[in-house]
Amino acid sequence: QLSYEDDAMLLTDAFVMFLAYASLGVIPLIIFASGPLNVFTDLQQYEFSAGISLILLFLLGSLKSRFGSGGWLYCGLETTILGIICAVVSYFVGDSIMSFIALT
């Protein structure tokens, strides 16, 4: 059983991580707001968004190391690799759903 102080600290840490992921998760999407201006091609927007996403995932993983065990490099790489895996799985699930919808 955790003490009240430990429980409050865990909630604070969880809230800080939530805010970090939610606020930094918007940054890769900002480039798409330039779409109507025709400043960047679709490929440039995608490349920028993917690159920024990888950098932010690594930075968030490194920050995560302050709240858990493990070094900053390990946590940064772990979060980046998990993010890549989630993105690939999401892509294939979405592609499968689109293929299924197109068949019906």
Side-chain angles (χ1 to χ4, degrees), residues 33-98:
S34 70
L37 302 175
N38 292 325
V39 177
F40 302 103
T41 66
D42 289 345
L43 181 60
Q44 288 172 328
Q45 289 176 336
Y46 171 76
E47 290 170 343
F48 177 83
S49 180
I52 290 295
S53 295
L54 291 174
I55 292 168
L56 290 174
L57 281 169
F58 183 80
L59 291 175
L60 284 173
S62 298
L63 176 69
K64 182 182 75 168
S65 71
R66 297 189 62 184
F67 300 107
S69 61
W72 65 270
L73 181 61
Y74 176 81
C75 288
L77 290 174
E78 176 186 44
T79 302
T80 304
I81 291 168
L82 286 174
I84 291 169
I85 291 169
C86 289
V88 168
V89 168
S90 298
Y91 174 82
F92 284 112
V93 166
D95 189 52
S96 297
I97 291 171
M98 284 298 293

Side-chain angles (χ1 to χ4, degrees), residues 95-104:
D95 189 52
S96 297
I97 291 171
M98 284 298 293
S99 297
F100 177 75
I101 290 172
L103 292 175
T104 58

Side-chain angles (χ1 to χ4, degrees), residues 9-29:
M9 185 61 126
L10 287 174
L11 286 175
T12 302
D13 291 348
F15 186 68
V16 167
M17 287 303 297
F18 167 75
L19 287 179
Y21 278 97
S23 59
L24 294 178
V26 168
I27 292 174
L29 302 176

